[in-house]
Amino acid sequence: MNWSALGFDYYKTEINARSTFDGEKWSELVYTDDEYIKMHISTTCLHYGLQAFEGMKAFRGVDGKVRLFRPEENARRMQASARKLCLPEPPVELFVEACREIVRRNEKFIPPYGSGATLYLRPMLIGTHVGLGVKRSPEAMLIVYCSPVGPYFKGGMKTINVVIDRVQDRAAPRGTGDVKVGGNYAASIFSGTKAHTEGYSNVLYVDAAEHRYVEECGAANFFGIKDNTYVTPKSPSILPSITNKSLRELAAHLGMKVEERPIPVEELSTFVEAGACGTAAVISPIASIFDLDSGERVSYGNEVGATCLKLYNALQDIQYGRSEDIFGWTEVVIE
Ligand SMILES: *Cc1c(COP(=O)(O)O)cnc(C)c1O
């Protein structure tokens, strides 16, 4: 197995976990090697976007142990997504137990330490009510599956170029931007595809109401660094990233100030570093931001900034068991 050559794509593993909610209670977890689900053609998740998902990773550490990173945070975020879509909320313990077991039962697909590859876990929740009208789904299914994924950065951390393109809004202020649901991705696929075609890694989305404030960078949160301060946007239409939350806590621990507040586009040029953060890459340092409307480009340089590097290493050291987990963020799943 050439782990380092893997990309971010579906790779078949052995076992996935499922639990169904029949309108009253969640079933015991069922483990299966079946990659398919049989579904009625009029199932609500297929028509009205009644679905939510999560993304997390299992890491084979320097000590050989396998760790999950803050899985309860993902469980609670899935509950928040479920609440917003009026879907049944999977209990935290059910969610986390499914994640643990999926890691254990697919142990041979966990990439070795040092390969840079990880086991990506994809929990998903779908409304399974069969009907035709737009209404809530009292029945649901939780599925947790996994797939080994290659190192995000092949050959070292790299900076990315992003674009501010107001052609499409990702999420409205009182919409679903703050929960992890497929509809947000549907609403960003056009602008994302356009950006890729034009050579950018991602769109830096701005707020839908005024198109003036920075929101998210593709499917990752945004942060800027200046004056020993970690600044990240505050907005009701941003998905609360667990990576961002962890970086804020790490930054504070490392003696930096942390600010969560609206960031106007004009402020971008005052940062000395900027980055996109999320489970997939931890941090993608940003080299430049091009604003299509004004034609202005803000450049931070192609070199990875010292603060981005420091935060990235501090978080990865905890995830891979290289430093003491002083925050209690990791859970050892395989000793
Ligand atoms: C999942 C996601 C993120 C990153 O969240 P993490 O918990 O850090 O992985 C950021 N923005 C969006 C829109 C997302 O869907």
Side-chain angles (χ1 to χ4, degrees):
M1 187 77 201
N2 187 0
W3 301 103
S4 319
L6 283 175
F8 187 86
D9 215 338
Y10 179 74
Y11 181 94
K12 185 179 173 1
T13 54
E14 243 160 48
I15 302 292
N16 63 83
R18 300 162 184 209
S19 170
T20 50
F21 189 82
D22 60 6
E24 280 173 18
K25 57 178 192 325
W26 288 94
S27 71
E28 292 281 300
L29 285 162
V30 173
Y31 298 97
T32 173
D33 61 0
D34 191 353
E35 294 171 276
Y36 292 86
I37 35 180
K38 187 163 181 182
M39 232 184 235
H40 191 279
I41 53 176
S42 210
T43 307
T44 183
C45 65
L46 298 176
H47 300 259
Y48 303 123
L50 295 189
Q51 63 82 236
F53 66 99
E54 279 299 325
M56 53 211 287
K57 283 177 172 177
F59 302 87
R60 174 79 71 180
V62 65
D63 52 4
K65 296 180 182 178
V66 178
R67 291 173 176 81
L68 282 173
F69 185 72
R70 311 186 82 172
E72 289 83 8
E73 293 283 338
N74 293 90
R76 282 193 285 268
R77 192 167 65 188
M78 177 168 270
Q79 290 185 324
S81 301
R83 276 196 297 279
K84 202 155 216 181
L85 300 188
C86 300
L87 282 171
E89 292 175 41
V92 170
E93 191 44 40
L94 179 80
F95 178 102
V96 177
E97 183 54 25
C99 293
R100 286 184 196 116
E101 268 311 296
I102 279 323
V103 173
R104 293 188 188 119
R105 291 180 191 231
N106 292 290
E107 181 168 5
K108 64 172 172 239
F109 298 100
I110 306 174
Y113 177 75
S115 64
T118 51
L119 187 72
Y120 182 81
L121 274 69
R122 171 51 61 87
M124 55 185 268
L125 177 69
I126 52 176
T128 51
H129 185 70
V130 174
L132 202 50
V134 179
K135 54 176 188 288
R136 63 177 277 265
S137 174
E139 301 90 32
M141 188 182 225
L142 172 72
I143 302 177
V144 181
Y145 68 89
C146 63
S147 182
V149 296
Y152 193 86
F153 298 109
K154 296 191 172 37
M157 212 175 177
K158 276 189 208 65
T159 55
I160 57 169
N161 297 301
V162 302
V163 64
I164 298 177
D165 187 348
R166 297 169 182 80
V167 67
Q168 191 175 35
D169 296 321
R170 190 194 79 93
R174 293 171 201 169
T176 53
D178 61 342
V179 291
K180 207 167 175 80
V181 302
N184 297 333
Y185 284 75
S188 64
I189 203 83
F190 181 87
S191 52
T193 304
K194 178 167 175 256
H196 288 146
T197 308
E198 289 166 7
Y200 297 98
S201 295
N202 260 319
V203 177
L204 181 60
Y205 291 100
V206 290
D207 75 291
E210 296 184 69
H211 298 116
R212 271 195 59 201
Y213 297 95
V214 175
E215 295 239 301
E216 293 211 56
C217 195
N221 277 185
F222 174 87
F223 65 86
I225 305 286
K226 63 177 171 187
D227 309 326
N228 196 35
T229 308
Y230 179 101
V231 191
T232 192
K234 191 177 179 68
S235 150
S237 43
I238 291 178
L239 194 276
S241 150
I242 296 158
T243 312
N244 191 355
K245 181 178 184 178
S246 306
L247 291 173
R248 292 197 301 272
E249 293 174 56
L250 272 173
H253 177 75
L254 293 170
M256 296 177 70
K257 277 184 285 187
V258 174
E259 291 176 9
E260 273 182 272
R261 57 171 173 79
I263 301 179
V265 170
E266 310 83 74
E267 190 181 349
L268 290 173
S269 61
T270 68
F271 294 126
V272 291
E273 293 178 43
C277 62
T279 294
V282 180
I283 292 176
S284 290
I286 295 174
S288 74
I289 303 170
F290 183 64
D291 188 331
L292 268 184
D293 284 358
S294 67
E296 280 172 28
R297 188 184 307 276
V298 172
S299 291
Y300 304 110
N302 292 324
E303 294 289 306
V304 176
T307 307
C308 281
L309 194 59
K310 185 164 73 176
L311 290 170
Y312 176 83
N313 287 333
L315 191 59
Q316 290 269 85
D317 284 348
I318 292 174
Q319 291 172 327
Y320 283 110
R322 291 189 295 247
S323 68
E324 195 195 335
D325 179 10
I326 54 168
F327 301 97
W329 284 340
T330 61
E331 175 180 335
V332 173
V333 180
I334 301 175
E335 285 285 345

